[in-house]
Amino acid sequence: MTEPRITATYWIETAFPLQQAAETMAGEQSTGTFVRVPGETDELREAHAARVEELVELGEVVAPSLPGSGLPKSGDATRRAARVKLSWPVSNMGLSLPNLLATVNGNLSELKAFSGLRLIDLTLPPEFLSRYQGPQFGVAGTRDLAGVYDRPIIGTIIKPSVGLSPEATAEQVRSLVEAGIDFVKDDELQADGPHCPFDARVSAVMRVINDYADRTGKKVMYAANLTGEIDEMLARHDHVVAEGGTCVMASMNSIGLPAMKVLRAHAQLPIHGHRNGWGMLGRSPAIGMSYIAFQKLWRLAGIDHTHVNGIDNKFCESNESVIASARECLTPMFDPPHPGCEIMPVFSSGQSARQAAPTFAALGSVDCMFAAGGGIMAHPGGPAAGVRALRQAWEAAVAGVPVADAARDAPELAAALGAFGG
């Protein structure tokens, strides 16, 4: 029986011969070191060495992208870029995401042979599902809890990020739920500080949400940021459940994959995975990893939603990267009959009614959250008009109606286009 393997795809830049550079990567992250050692037998290499599965040259590079790289002894300083695909037997690291990460993204970026090295994709065998649960709710379960179908879930973030008391936070949430919002989340900076303790904040916010649900039948989803030590997160989750909440949020980079696995095993609610800190991994095209690779680890660990930035966002990420990440969230990781582990992409970061049409055109789906802060709160007509404008913009996008035409019969949308026309 053939042993299952994991596959990782990289972009590399090097002055060394490409095949030699690829084999250096494979050796460093499996059986080899800088010299052949006595224990590295042919049998051991056959069973455990990483393989170079693909090597595609992408052209010459004028200057090194990163400092500290070396040159081959031949003295040839010609640098080339390439795409490299490596594979490893699962038995090298076992069914362990932390050790998988050490294998595919360990010491590679420090190797002197490379002036650039970036992980761009991962493919995992379904055997990992025997240890990791994947998302519990995903797209369909999140829609059921939010009561929103056939359109994006419209959301926003509590601002200012920090400084509000539990009572002031609840009052802001009151204005949002009365405006018809579907989803509200804590900012990632707000967790359990002394000015706004987690338990008090959740209790105050849920009183507002539960009262609105009792009156209208609509229960707004509130992602309470429970990021902390593992025991704190589990206790905070249980408090959200006790108060009738329908979502929790955790900062993925802050807690790590093992903690997320523990939280997912305990959770009765969707986990909103916040990606803050990913910019350190993803901003440079010459190092780190793509979000396409990154989010697969967290989907398997158990998140149900994750941020992907937004079209024409306030940060540095290109629209192409944003949409590629969002599409990947909705793309199955595993073939049937295994679960695909699809999750809900969350568009955010400077979004308004203007981005609805290009987002839908690029994504080709309404399976997303569309979170706008200023795009709702700063609407000239107030938050309720801001929410209506976003819905009107998405309705027009799905119907194929140009947003300017739709705005003629939608005053809230017209006002939004005027206010957010930059």
Side-chain angles (χ1 to χ4, degrees), residues 37-56:
V37 296
E40 191 187 1
T41 63
D42 291 341
E43 292 77 14
L44 186 144
R45 286 174 62 86
E46 178 64 25
H48 296 286
R51 297 176 190 162
V52 179
E53 302 286 0
E54 182 181 77
L55 178 60
V56 179

Side-chain angles (χ1 to χ4, degrees), residues 127-206:
E127 281 77 5
F128 274 88
L129 290 167
S130 66
R131 187 171 186 191
Y132 293 91
Q133 296 178 281
Q136 183 175 185
F137 292 86
V139 175
T142 297
R143 285 194 175 283
D144 287 342
L145 286 172
V148 176
Y149 304 93
D150 303 322
R151 64 170 176 82
I153 293 174
I154 303 299
T156 194
I157 306 94
I158 295 169
K159 298 289 183 179
S161 306
V162 294
L164 297 178
S165 67
E167 294 73 23
T169 303
E171 282 307 305
Q172 185 174 122
V173 172
R174 187 185 306 279
S175 71
L176 291 166
V177 299
E178 295 289 349
I181 201 81
D182 303 317
F183 174 87
V184 180
K185 64 174 283 293
D186 284 335
D187 190 89
E188 69 272 15
L189 300 178
Q190 179 66 273
D192 193 32
H195 64 282
C196 194
F198 181 89
D199 285 0
R201 180 175 75 256
V202 168
S203 294
V205 167
M206 288 311 304

Side-chain angles (χ1 to χ4, degrees), residues 28 46-47 62 82 97 106 123 128 170 188-189 191 248 293 295 302 309 335 354 371 377 383 401 418-419 421-422:
E28 176 70 23
E46 178 64 25
V62 175
L97 287 179
T123 303
F128 274 88
E188 69 272 15
L189 300 178
V248 295
Q295 53 85 37
N309 223 326
D335 294 331
R354 284 196 171 273
M377 300 300 291
V401 177

Side-chain angles (χ1 to χ4, degrees), residues 3-8 22-33 36 39-53 85-93 103-104:
E3 181 177 357
R5 301 180 73 85
I6 63 166
T7 302
E23 290 171 357
T24 297
M25 295 171 66
E28 176 70 23
Q29 293 307 111
S30 60
T31 63
T33 183
R36 188 75 176 256
E40 191 187 1
T41 63
D42 291 341
E43 292 77 14
L44 186 144
R45 286 174 62 86
E46 178 64 25
H48 296 286
R51 297 176 190 162
V52 179
E53 302 286 0
K85 185 178 291 185
L86 304 181
S87 74
W88 294 260
V90 168
S91 61
N92 278 20
M93 76 294 296
T103 297
V104 302

Side-chain angles (χ1 to χ4, degrees), residues 247-271:
C247 192
V248 295
M249 182 180 103
S251 294
M252 298 183 288
N253 281 308
S254 298
I255 71 170
L257 289 163
M260 185 63 77
K261 181 178 184 293
V262 173
L263 177 61
R264 164 63 178 89
H266 181 82
Q268 301 174 44
L269 304 173
I271 300 171

Side-chain angles (χ1 to χ4, degrees), residues 300-311:
L300 195 52
I303 63 170
D304 296 280
H305 329 137
T306 192
H307 291 246
V308 296
N309 223 326
I311 292 286

